[in-house]
Amino acid sequence: MMSAQQMLKVFVTRRIPQEGMKILKKAGMCNLSVWDSDEPVPRAELLKGVADAHGLLCLLSDKIDAEVLNAAGPNLKVISTLSVGFDHLAIDEIKKRGIRVGYTPDVLTDATAELTVALLLATARRLPEGVEEVKNGGWSTWKPLWLCGYGLSGSTVGVIGLGRIGLAIARRLKPFGVKRLLYTGRQPKPQAQEVDGEYVPLDTLVRESDFVVVSCSLAPDTQSLCDKTFFSKMKKTSIFINTSRGAVVNQEDLFEALSSGQIAAAGLDVTTPEPLPTNHPLLTLKNCVVLPHIGSATYSTRGVMSALTANNLLAGLTGSEMPSELKL
């Protein structure tokens, strides 16, 4: 065991699944300070909690910017985030200070891809509407065109961002009888062959797809990518699905497209802000299915994410190789 003086201060910004906490406690080298709540740490508490810390374990709801890094001071060696996305981290500022970053790719790919398929099917086949009709007495008799939606068989699916999660979504959608799988991104991906993916310009993907699935990361070039111009090119019968980051979509433009019948429906697992206010216009629409950012929410996935985040943090503290280090 290290003496109290040698213990390294670690600030954890939230209660995390016990798998990760066990690893941190067992390591016996961390003086753990935890914001012991299921709610996000208030900004003032974050700035206070991170002071003199050697390590920071954070979530995607924590904005880690220059102010936080300055509050932490020169001890800070590692930031480990319980997420695959890192748009909440000021990467340039972190890099400048020589701080290492751990994140959780791969381990949440399958869970997020499954949820994306579930959301796509629920949106296209109007499941939430159907459930509501059963409960409110709207179900009178069998009717030929009542609650009709759109199927995947013989369709064209467009995936924006064929990375780890995009490819996992494509793999799962192909067996539904998808006829063409289009994808767009910074460059063609060799692994696209596995799903017969066609690399096309964004414009082509948006115009020709029956289902547009967004699974790119949030970056300056994808911020508000899905806007009025984007939706105006989509087919009137097409379905828009986003499980990446809310800021990729201009929500006012999406509302307009959905309420005017410019596109058929949308399914979102991510919004801006999160949570979406209950009086938000999108929530008044029957053809918009909104989920509370539960892409990776299976018990096992969240447990594995927690353990990986803890192990990344410990590697950063000891200067050893991280299981999943973000290359800055």
Side-chain angles (χ1 to χ4, degrees):
M1 280 296 275
M2 288 187 170
S3 70
Q5 287 81 14
Q6 293 168 309
M7 294 285 269
L8 300 172
K9 182 182 168 181
V10 169
F11 184 58
V12 182
T13 65
R14 192 93 65 90
R15 257 182 230 144
I16 61 167
Q18 40 120 12
E19 288 89 337
M21 286 314 286
K22 277 184 185 157
I23 290 167
L24 293 178
K25 284 175 180 156
K26 200 177 157 202
M29 64 188 209
C30 304
N31 178 7
L32 288 173
S33 164
V34 181
W35 178 254
D36 197 16
S37 165
D38 286 326
E39 298 306 315
V41 59
R43 186 73 179 174
E45 295 294 334
L46 171 60
L47 294 170
K48 205 160 73 184
V50 80
D52 300 321
H54 295 87
L56 172 63
L57 193 157
C58 67
L59 277 61
L60 49 77
S61 48
D62 305 313
K63 195 170 169 52
I64 310 301
D65 54 14
E67 188 185 17
V68 174
L69 299 172
N70 290 339
N75 280 351
L76 192 63
K77 288 211 272 254
V78 58
I79 296 167
S80 185
T81 181
L82 186 82
S83 64
V84 62
F86 45 85
D87 44 280
H88 57 302
L89 308 178
I91 295 298
D92 292 346
E93 292 290 336
I94 291 166
K95 191 175 177 176
K96 213 157 67 182
R97 290 167 172 79
I99 299 165
R100 294 170 69 192
V101 175
Y103 70 138
T104 61
D106 306 314
V107 296
L108 49 64
T109 299
D110 287 343
T112 306
E114 282 175 13
L115 189 278
T116 305
V117 173
L119 177 58
L120 184 150
L121 292 169
T123 304
R125 295 297 301 273
R126 303 169 67 176
L127 300 197
E129 269 185 272
V131 168
E132 193 44 47
E133 293 291 287
V134 171
K135 288 180 178 175
N136 68 21
W139 181 15
S140 54
T141 179
W142 190 90
K143 300 176 188 141
L145 290 176
W146 188 54
L147 282 177
C148 281
Y150 298 91
L152 279 163
S153 189
S155 71
T156 296
V157 170
V159 178
I160 297 177
L162 199 75
R164 287 176 289 254
I165 296 171
L167 185 63
I169 294 165
R171 277 196 198 112
R172 285 161 174 77
L173 290 178
K174 283 295 279 191
F176 282 92
V178 170
K179 190 151 118 210
R180 291 177 72 205
L181 197 125
L182 313 179
Y183 75 99
T184 186
R186 292 188 183 91
Q187 69 273 320
K189 299 273 173 109
Q191 58 270 36
Q193 291 172 327
E194 189 197 321
V195 289
D196 302 320
E198 303 172 40
Y199 184 64
V200 296
L202 182 64
D203 196 74
T204 306
L205 183 145
V206 176
R207 288 181 196 279
E208 297 184 7
S209 298
D210 299 299
F211 297 87
V212 173
V213 181
V214 184
S215 65
C216 55
S217 57
L218 177 61
D221 61 335
T222 58
Q223 181 101 25
S224 297
L225 175 74
C226 308
D227 59 5
K228 195 179 176 68
T229 312
F230 180 103
F231 295 122
S232 70
K233 292 172 188 167
M234 284 175 66
K235 300 181 184 181
K236 283 191 159 35
T237 53
S238 61
I239 311 270
F240 177 80
I241 302 292
N242 183 20
T243 54
S244 62
R245 284 291 183 265
V248 172
V249 177
N250 177 316
Q251 289 175 170
E252 286 68 36
D253 293 353
L254 175 61
F255 175 81
E256 194 45 50
L258 287 167
S259 52
S260 68
Q262 176 61 59
I263 68 173
L268 312 172
D269 185 42
V270 286
T271 58
T272 39
E274 292 182 6
L276 198 63
T278 53
N279 63 354
H280 194 281
L282 283 173
L283 300 180
T284 64
L285 301 173
K286 279 186 172 168
N287 59 345
C288 189
V289 178
V290 183
L291 297 179
H293 201 149
I294 52 173
S296 65
T298 66
Y299 291 110
S300 72
T301 298
R302 290 286 169 83
V304 173
M305 283 172 71
S306 182
L308 178 54
T309 306
N311 284 321
N312 282 338
L313 185 92
L314 292 175
L317 290 175
T318 56
S320 42
E321 195 183 336
M322 249 184 229
S324 282
E325 181 160 9
L326 184 63
K327 299 290 175 244
L328 302 182

